[in-house]
Amino acid sequence: MTAQALAGALADERRRTVFAAIVLGARDVPAVVARTGLPARDAAVAVRRLTDAGVLTDDGDELRVDAGRLREFARAGAASPAAPAANPRETILRTFLRDGALTRLPAQRGRRRVLLEHITERTFEPGQRYPEREVDDALRRWCEGGDADHVTLRRYLIDDMLLTREQGVYWRTGP
């Protein structure tokens, strides 16, 4: 996360209000709505944007401030106050991957494509053929502990032409 990304995430008054509510103990969108008085839609959008920016984490059970990411930001800021803007690809990967696992799939096609290319490059060798069971096992590892499932991930890889399938055998076709 860069200073610019953090500032952008917290630039909007509603996002700051939602962030404060979560810091003070709200653990889901209904609790945020109750604490802030914001419309449910506004609260949900703010939560999504703060999560996308990496300021919040949503493990499915509760919302929390990602203290580790904020510490990283503070350390990076202390080390180099005039740090250059982050590589957009790296920002996307940091947002949607935690400890090598997919937290969720991005809704935006461009972001999703960056993530899918990363997964393909690190999972499948060009020219090698894989039976469906092997593909599923490899993709399950990416999905452990996140909101995405391996079947959806496999479908996106095929739809984006990063993997090709024929008679239950898969191979890498993308970059």
Side-chain angles (χ1 to χ4, degrees), residues 4-126:
Q4 186 177 15
L6 181 62
L10 296 173
D12 180 78
E13 172 115 16
R14 287 173 297 227
R15 290 193 295 263
R16 282 193 310 274
T17 302
V18 166
F19 180 79
I22 293 168
V23 166
L24 295 172
R27 295 294 172 238
D28 56 21
V29 173
V32 168
V33 169
R35 282 185 184 246
T36 63
L38 289 171
R41 185 172 195 269
D42 289 353
V45 168
V47 164
R48 188 185 78 239
R49 290 199 176 148
L50 290 168
T51 303
D52 287 351
V55 176
L56 299 179
T57 59
D58 181 0
D59 63 10
D61 292 330
E62 69 177 14
L63 297 167
R64 345 182 266 290
V65 173
D66 191 337
R69 293 286 299 276
L70 291 177
R71 273 192 297 277
E72 287 173 18
F73 171 73
R75 283 186 200 122
S80 65
N87 175 343
R89 175 182 165 91
E90 293 303 315
T91 301
I92 292 167
L93 296 177
R94 278 195 317 269
T95 300
F96 295 100
L97 295 173
R98 293 282 190 267
D99 301 321
L102 184 60
T103 57
R104 63 191 170 86
L105 286 165
Q108 286 185 341
R109 189 176 190 287
R111 289 180 177 184
R112 190 172 55 237
R113 177 67 185 210
V114 168
L115 193 62
L116 294 173
E117 286 176 358
H118 175 82
I119 290 170
T120 302
E121 291 165 1
R122 282 165 182 68
T123 308
F124 305 105
E125 292 297 322

